[in-house]
Amino acid sequence: MPRVVALYRYPVKGFTPEQCEVVNILDEGRIVGDRVLGVRFSDSGVSDDAWSKKHQFVALMNTPGIARLQLRFDHQKRRLCIGLEGEVLVNEVLDEKGRSKIAAAIENYVLKLDENPLSSHPERLPLRLVGNGITPRYQDNEAGQITLHGRASLAAVGAAVGDNDLNELRFRSNIVIDGLEAWEEQSWVGRRICIGQVNFDVVMPKSRCLATQANPSSGKRDLPILKTLTRVFNQEKPTFAVAMLTRGVGGPIQLGDKASLIDSMHLAD
């Protein structure tokens, strides 16, 4: 029986994850504490509390070097701490003054990187730290889909790129399961599954971007993940993992929970 072997949430969109023993799924389908903040370009043209596409944020797809930053977010006190190689760059609460300091610290770090989206785009400055630190809002998809992959699929990609220890953080999934064949989770698209006591519709395969090519430790683009997915695995578009929505009722999911197919019929049936 497939089981949950890892759980992740990402307090700040595009930045390092929190590894969890339990995640709580809201009835609407988002994970409590996941993507509750984002670092948005000044010229994005949308309000701070509005969803927008990831190309309007500092994120791994445009700034691979942020993978080197260590991030800790105190969800109760709403305090964000960002460090680099043991040095604290900023540690502030989410009041107006603190937000300004956090955004400035990130801006200063990003501008020093060889690959960054700011140096040639002054209109994107100053950066803005958006989100209230409570509401999950800045997922890649406006519906806030939860993502899942199987460890066997990860191993298949790792073998194809010559890295048998391929770090699953490249794919930024929320839920990781073991006990499936490689790519078996892709066959769940259009079907219904249960993880723990939460039922999901598996709505689509997850398309991938340049974020997957950033090494989660070094922040360097070091592996041709996208070409590998299309050429080695004959995918029309590079995809890895699946995106899911709840059946309207959330609840907790914890390590060790079983994942099972509960309806083999396609959702349109």
Side-chain angles (χ1 to χ4, degrees):
M1 175 70 71
R3 292 183 181 274
V4 175
V5 292
L7 293 165
Y8 301 100
R9 65 181 181 181
Y10 302 81
V12 182
K13 180 180 182 63
F15 286 70
T16 51
E18 295 175 341
Q19 190 162 2
C20 306
E21 293 187 359
V22 180
V23 293
N24 291 301
I25 314 298
L26 297 170
D27 291 350
E28 68 193 53
R30 300 169 191 257
I31 291 176
V32 173
D34 186 52
R35 280 89 167 186
V36 296
L37 297 167
V39 182
R40 184 177 269 158
F41 300 146
S42 181
D43 66 340
S44 63
V46 295
S47 64
D48 288 357
D49 61 353
W51 177 88
S52 66
K53 294 182 178 180
K54 58 187 173 184
H55 69 259
Q56 294 181 336
F57 291 84
V58 172
L60 284 171
M61 64 175 293
N62 54 39
T63 316
I66 62 173
R68 297 178 58 215
L69 298 176
Q70 296 89 45
L71 183 146
R72 297 193 309 276
F73 182 55
D74 187 323
H75 292 263
Q76 299 300 317
K77 297 179 180 179
R78 290 197 292 166
R79 174 178 287 272
L80 182 63
C81 179
I82 299 175
L84 175 66
E85 297 175 352
E87 177 186 355
V88 174
L89 302 183
V90 66
N91 185 2
E92 297 288 338
V93 296
L94 298 183
D95 56 18
E96 184 176 355
K97 183 178 180 181
R99 286 173 180 273
S100 179
K101 287 185 176 181
I102 293 166
I106 294 172
E107 182 177 308
N108 182 58
Y109 173 76
V110 170
L111 282 168
K112 294 176 181 177
L113 298 172
D114 292 336
E115 183 178 354
N116 76 75
L118 304 179
S119 296
S120 58
H121 291 279
E123 71 277 7
R124 293 175 172 174
L125 299 173
L127 296 177
R128 308 197 318 265
L129 181 69
V130 299
N132 60 13
I134 300 172
T135 306
R137 179 178 285 133
Y138 303 111
Q139 286 79 10
D140 288 348
N141 186 287
E142 190 170 7
Q145 296 162 348
I146 293 168
T147 53
L148 172 150
H149 74 254
R151 283 268 170 86
S153 300
L154 179 74
V157 178
V161 296
D163 183 355
N164 290 327
D165 296 315
L166 187 67
N167 193 328
E168 67 192 6
L169 296 184
R170 289 178 184 264
F171 300 100
R172 304 180 67 77
S173 295
N174 298 118
I175 301 171
V176 183
I177 58 177
D178 206 357
L180 296 176
E181 298 294 327
W183 307 109
E184 186 176 347
E185 65 271 26
Q186 298 291 326
S187 71
W188 289 355
V189 173
R191 305 165 84 176
R192 295 166 184 157
I193 66 168
C194 179
I195 304 175
Q197 297 182 351
V198 183
N199 294 337
F200 295 93
D201 292 335
V202 184
V203 294
M204 66 177 65
K206 181 68 175 175
S207 296
R208 311 316 311 197
C209 68
L210 282 172
T212 61
Q213 302 192 166
N215 185 299
S217 298
S218 69
K220 301 292 185 182
R221 299 200 196 278
D222 60 352
L223 292 174
I225 298 293
L226 301 183
K227 288 183 178 179
T228 299
L229 291 172
T230 55
R231 295 179 181 179
V232 176
F233 298 104
N234 299 314
Q235 298 178 354
E236 182 177 351
K237 296 180 179 180
T239 58
F240 183 88
V242 294
M244 310 185 302
L245 293 172
T246 65
R247 302 290 294 164
V249 179
I253 291 176
Q254 60 187 355
L255 295 178
D257 277 351
K258 296 178 181 179
S260 58
L261 188 65
I262 59 174
D263 189 341
S264 61
M265 297 177 66
H266 284 269
L267 301 182
D269 293 344

